């Protein structure tokens, strides 16, 4: 018997398992690690004065009144999370989305209140018209067509109103052409040259935004978003979009969603010298939550594995609804 075993002995100069033998060794050779500072936590703020309302399709995620959002931000900061992405849910919708640049609108009031109470938190704000328009599209509509240049004009006003309220970054998520350059110029003219732009540069027309649209009550009332958001089949086009946004003045570029687009994140990181963000979107969050609720998956391990994969793919910054849960484990 002993002879057989010896004969079976391989003479290998490399045995990769030597580097996996103990926890200490595995830690030594770990290539990627998550930090709490990598996360941006999306927050939904509404005009109602009710207690936080849980989003049915996003367990653990709430719509907050402004005061509660401020409290939530303070809690995030004590967990070590340093950035939020703010989404305002307005009561007033109209065809022209004019509530989006009301200096006393829901998002503008939230920015001011959070800046006052939690001044060190980095506030990013969503810039797009979908929650503000009756039809639910990210831009103005005429005869069923999403107008580009007219929309950009409104986005500029919206961006300046966010900057005036105290936003650190505006985050245009609309995918209109030329909006980064126009917003940069509008911010500069208004004296907000220090306000940054986090551009949703490669944003795909994705099925994974469903729960977010529930949370925001912002699903499009007709058609889809395929004339402005990208075709999931395309990656070269993502590089062109990123190149344009950087040339127009974007400070950070984003790929969205994250999980079905890890290859795009990697290519953007390799092709450009700019901070790259990825959005671990609502549907990606809800899938894990739903499977975990059924006992089909280990929620914590799946969450950490997913976040790590986004970082490993090349994202410097991760927008994620898991930010708090992950920060508690780090
Ligand atoms: C709206 C916007 C969307 C998301 C962020 N900003 C939805 C959409 O484009 O329809 C999605 C976020 C998520 O699913 O978590 N411009």
């Amino acid at each position: 018997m002993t002879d057989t075993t010896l004969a079976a002995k391989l003479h290998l100069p490399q045995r990769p398992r030597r580097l996996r033998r103990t926890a200490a060794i595995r830690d030594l050779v770990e290539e990627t690690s998550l930090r709490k500072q990598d996360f941006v936590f999306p927050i939904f703020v509404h005009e109602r004065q009710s207690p936080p309302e849980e989003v049915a399709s996003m367990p653990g995620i709430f719509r907050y009144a402004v005061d509660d959002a401020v409290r939530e931000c303070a809690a995030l900061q004590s967990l070590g999370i340093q950035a939020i992405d703010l989404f305002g849910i307005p009561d007033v919708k109209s065809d022209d989305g004019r509530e989006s640049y009301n200096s006393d609108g829901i998002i503008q009031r939230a920015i001011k209140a959070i800046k006052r109470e939690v001044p060190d938190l980095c506030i990013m704000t969503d810039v797009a018209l979908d929650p503000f328009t009756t039809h639910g599209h990210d831009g103005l509509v005429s005869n069923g067509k999403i107008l580009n240049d007219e929309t950009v004009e409104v986005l500029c006003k919206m961006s300046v109103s966010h900057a005036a309220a105290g936003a650190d970054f505006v985050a245009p998520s609309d995918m209109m052409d030329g909006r980064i350059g126009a917003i940069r110029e509008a911010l500069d003219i208004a004296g907000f040259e220090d306000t940054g732009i986090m551009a949703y540069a490669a944003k795909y027309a994705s099925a994974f935004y469903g729960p977010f649209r529930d949370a925001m009550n912002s699903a499009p009332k007709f058609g889809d978003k395929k004339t402005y958001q990208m075709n999931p089949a395309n990656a070269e086009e993502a590089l062109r979009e990123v190149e344009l946004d950087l040339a127009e003045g974007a400070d950070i570029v984003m790929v969205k969603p994250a999980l079905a687009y890890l290859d795009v994140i990697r290519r953007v990181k390799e092709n450009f010298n700019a901070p790259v963000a990825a959005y671990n979107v609502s549907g990606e969050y809800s899938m894990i939550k739903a499977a975990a609720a059924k006992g089909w998956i280990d929620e914590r391990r799946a969450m950490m594995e997913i976040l790590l994969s986004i970082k490993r793919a090349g994202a410097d910054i991760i927008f994620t609804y898991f930010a708090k849960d992950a920060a508690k484990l780090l």
Side-chain angles (χ1 to χ4, degrees), residues 222-284:
F222 70 90
D224 53 41
K225 299 194 175 185
K226 290 181 185 170
T227 69
Y228 44 108
Q229 298 181 347
M230 286 178 52
N231 179 347
N234 296 357
E236 298 287 335
E237 189 182 349
L239 302 184
R240 293 200 297 275
E241 283 282 6
V242 168
E243 187 171 13
L244 279 172
D245 283 2
L246 287 171
E248 290 178 29
D251 301 286
I252 301 172
V253 285
M254 177 190 274
V255 174
K256 176 187 178 182
L259 290 184
Y261 302 89
L262 294 176
D263 58 321
V264 179
I265 296 172
R266 162 60 43 185
R267 288 179 71 174
V268 168
K269 189 62 198 166
E270 282 178 350
N271 279 278
F272 301 94
N273 298 313
V276 175
Y279 202 136
N280 177 214
V281 300
S282 57
E284 299 171 342

Side-chain angles (χ1 to χ4, degrees), residues 96-98 100-101 108 125-133 137-140 146-163 170-180 182-184 186-187 197 228:
D96 61 6
R98 83 175 83 90
S100 63
Y101 52 89
Q108 291 82 356
T125 57
D126 193 62
V127 170
L129 297 185
D130 47 325
F132 299 94
T133 51
H137 277 287
D138 293 37
L140 303 177
I146 318 305
L147 304 174
N148 194 86
D149 301 13
E150 294 81 351
T151 299
V152 170
E153 207 180 317
V154 183
L155 297 175
C156 287
K157 291 185 195 168
M158 188 176 179
S159 299
V160 169
S161 78
H162 291 184
V170 291
S173 67
D174 57 287
M175 291 297 281
M176 296 301 124
D177 293 334
R179 90 280 205 214
I180 301 301
I183 290 171
R184 185 66 270 158
L187 289 171
I197 302 180
Y228 44 108

